[in-house]
Amino acid sequence: MQHRHIYKEGNPRLIIIFAGWAMDAAPFAGLRRPGYDIMVVWDYRSSDIDWSCASGYAEICVVAWSLGVYSAARAIRGISSRVTLRLAVNGTMSPVDRLEGIPDDVFDGTLAGLDERNLTKFYRRVAGSRAAFESFSAKMPRRSVAELKEELASFRTEPILENEVDERWDRAVIGRDDAIFPPANQCRAWAKYPYSLIDTPHLPDFQALLDRYVVDKDMTGERFAAGESTYDSEASVQSGLVERMRVVMERASLPAHMCRRGSRTIEIGSGTGKLSKVLDGYAGRFGFVEMWDMASGAPLSGPMRKFRTGDAELIMMREPSGSADFIVSASTVQWFNSPSRFLCECLRVLAPGGCLLVGTYVEGNLAEVSSLTGRGLPLLSLADWLKIVPAGLDVALAEEYTEVMEFDSAIDIFRHLKATGVNSLGRGETGLRSVIRSFPASLDGKYRISYKPAILLLYKK
């Protein structure tokens, strides 16, 4: 495999794009994501890669495209301890397959007839339209036909060994207009995983994908830090979620476990301390409570209480196995790059019989805002959350509900979002005035937004 950084500014996080067949780094030039360096990997004639090119990064996000999906699964074992997000785009884990990949006759026909003329035809099919192909041509890969033929043949000759691949993926993105990997085959291949159907040919808008699926963690921390002083007065939905979680804890008799001498509770995303105060009361003098947050200060202090500043998604990956009795989080994990990795790490960190309680937000949250801005978090549905629960966790509760907030004007909505740190407009907030003007009022003249919280209670077997 070959690799090249296309953007390197000393950021602590790295995005690795595994390109498709017949590609190099050129088509990806110009991609950016705040807080991340970006590297492209291509040429799958060999599955070997020297991962010293990724040394020094605390977090790695993998975006794999086309035949790069299977190639990434084989290659990233060497860096898997630092990989959070794994996004598969217009590809599957079965490169050549009648039902879940590229059909055999299509693949073999492409291989047998490969020459300069047919390569150009392939690139046209990848781009999907004349305008897209013209744009692609300006950054055309420069590789020989002989090299590409050898690369393509390797997918036919190398055996697919289950013990050589890492099959954990966070989400698949499937283009409805993909003319290389049939969309129906992709849907079959990813049926057990969260996936999204989008209007795109085989070659997607990679900048849009990075903006959509890779969390801008620096901005997230800045927004919540800026909204800390107004959070408690505005965050009624978030307060309601904490109250519902308190009831769940009471019904599950969790307070009795938390106050045992030596028990350890970890709160992820302690913020202004709404949930921290509940946990503090339950744990009492004998239970240990540890609070993590990247944007706020310590909400509690005292004996048996500890606060840690940092990215909880990464802190959890470094925690000792079997070291916690109870892990709890409210209104935080939706900001993680990889909910599936988070669940796997919680399973590892929990002691046998330990409990994980998560209050988060699911697909459809703030849909009114997202429909106008075209932006928003790539939230999972509750059904998708259940798909990613690892085998070692038993689901005791999984429920979602809807909370509608009412405002007198559209500007009040955006003031509310800013005051709570929940802002879907991204950096710069370009077009804010036009978005506000276009926000529709209800028949009664009120302006409404809908939150969709969800609660999951899981036990380690």
Side-chain angles (χ1 to χ4, degrees):
M1 293 183 184
Q2 299 186 58
H3 59 83
R4 181 186 305 160
H5 276 85
I6 59 171
Y7 183 73
K8 190 173 184 179
E9 292 292 330
N11 288 298
R13 307 179 189 93
L14 174 68
I15 297 170
I16 302 178
I17 298 174
F18 282 80
W21 170 71
M23 298 293 161
D24 59 18
F28 305 93
L31 293 177
R32 300 288 185 271
R33 189 65 174 144
Y36 297 82
D37 289 349
I38 303 178
M39 184 173 76
V40 178
V41 175
W42 73 94
D43 188 358
Y44 305 124
R45 289 176 293 173
S46 167
S47 60
D48 295 330
I49 184 170
D50 179 3
W51 281 121
S52 62
C53 59
S55 63
Y57 292 101
E59 179 179 7
I60 299 173
C61 295
V62 171
V63 179
W65 172 45
S66 190
L67 291 176
V69 172
Y70 176 67
S71 300
R74 298 191 67 181
I76 63 176
R77 291 165 63 90
I79 54 171
S80 61
S81 63
R82 292 176 288 148
V83 174
T84 54
L85 174 69
R86 301 185 189 190
L87 183 70
V89 183
N90 283 338
T92 72
M93 292 291 290
S94 303
V96 188
D97 190 274
R98 180 176 63 86
L99 295 176
E100 295 188 358
I102 300 173
D104 299 67
D105 56 341
V106 175
F107 187 95
D108 292 339
T110 302
L111 182 59
L114 190 61
D115 55 23
E116 290 287 356
R117 178 171 173 272
N118 286 329
L119 179 60
T120 300
K121 285 185 176 180
F122 169 78
Y123 284 142
R124 289 184 183 275
R125 293 180 68 210
V126 167
S129 69
R130 177 178 295 181
F133 178 69
E134 289 176 356
S135 177
F136 175 78
S137 297
K139 298 184 287 187
M140 186 78 79
R142 304 300 179 194
R143 299 178 63 191
S144 71
V145 169
E147 179 181 306
L148 296 181
K149 198 161 190 173
E150 183 182 347
E151 180 185 14
L152 192 61
S154 70
F155 287 94
R156 208 48 165 136
T157 57
E158 288 192 2
I160 300 176
L161 303 176
E162 290 186 6
N163 64 339
E164 288 188 359
V165 300
D166 189 332
E167 297 194 30
R168 184 186 71 78
W169 293 91
D170 288 282
R171 186 191 298 263
V173 176
I174 301 170
R176 292 189 176 93
D177 303 315
D178 192 335
I180 306 300
F181 272 83
N185 284 13
Q186 293 187 60
C187 290
R188 273 190 288 269
W190 297 113
K192 295 181 180 180
Y193 295 78
Y195 69 81
S196 302
L197 280 164
I198 65 173
D199 294 324
T200 184
H202 189 65
L203 175 64
D205 180 341
F206 275 94
Q207 187 60 64
L209 288 178
L210 298 188
D211 292 344
R212 171 71 172 156
Y213 293 105
V214 181
V215 176
D216 185 343
K217 292 188 173 181
D218 291 344
M219 183 190 71
T220 300
E222 292 165 6
R223 292 274 168 85
F224 278 104
E228 185 175 5
S229 62
T230 54
Y231 185 87
D232 285 343
S233 61
E234 290 285 343
S236 60
V237 173
Q238 291 83 351
S239 296
L241 177 59
V242 168
E243 175 58 23
R244 285 179 177 247
M245 293 173 67
R246 185 195 65 78
V247 172
V248 169
M249 286 187 274
E250 291 278 5
R251 290 175 176 172
S253 300
L254 293 177
H257 297 283
M258 292 174 59
C259 67
R260 291 198 323 267
R261 186 180 296 275
S263 69
R264 184 189 184 207
T265 296
I266 299 174
E267 182 192 4
I268 296 172
S270 51
T272 59
K274 286 182 177 293
L275 181 56
S276 306
K277 294 179 177 64
V278 175
L279 301 176
D280 181 58
Y282 287 163
R285 294 184 297 128
F286 301 110
F288 182 80
V289 178
E290 190 168 321
M291 297 151 281
W292 302 351
D293 201 278
M294 69 184 303
S296 303
L300 299 174
S301 61
M304 306 289 285
R305 304 296 179 259
K306 181 180 178 180
F307 178 76
R308 296 175 68 178
T309 301
D311 184 341
E313 186 172 15
L314 304 186
I315 296 174
M316 185 62 73
M317 292 160 60
R318 300 190 293 267
E319 281 296 290
S321 299
S323 61
D325 301 287
F326 185 33
I327 300 173
V328 59
S329 179
S331 301
T332 299
V333 301
Q334 68 274 8
W335 300 101
F336 289 178
N337 271 317
S338 178
S340 68
R341 176 70 188 263
F342 167 71
L343 291 182
C344 290
E345 293 299 329
C346 288
L347 169 62
R348 180 186 61 80
V349 172
L350 283 171
C355 175
L356 170 63
L357 178 62
V358 174
T360 186
Y361 301 87
V362 294
E363 188 177 53
N365 188 64
L366 297 176
E368 303 88 348
V369 178
S370 297
S371 65
L372 287 177
T373 64
R375 302 179 186 177
L377 292 171
L379 298 173
L380 298 172
S381 67
L382 186 58
D384 285 338
W385 271 100
L386 295 177
K387 285 182 181 180
I388 66 172
V389 172
L393 289 175
D394 283 332
V395 180
L397 174 71
E399 64 179 22
E400 64 177 87
Y401 60 97
T402 300
E403 286 282 353
V404 178
M405 293 195 70
E406 183 180 283
F407 300 87
D408 293 326
S409 68
I411 190 63
D412 288 337
I413 291 176
F414 291 94
R415 287 171 178 158
H416 159 76
L417 296 177
K418 185 176 181 179
T420 57
V422 183
N423 194 324
S424 302
L425 296 178
R427 290 180 179 267
E429 300 183 5
T430 56
L432 177 59
R433 290 182 181 274
S434 61
V435 169
I436 292 173
R437 283 197 298 267
S438 60
F439 200 99
S442 301
L443 293 176
D444 59 2
K446 296 292 185 180
Y447 294 79
R448 295 179 175 87
I449 55 173
S450 303
Y451 283 88
K452 289 197 71 175
I455 298 175
L456 294 99
L457 178 64
L458 308 104
Y459 288 90
K460 183 170 180 175
K461 296 179 181 180

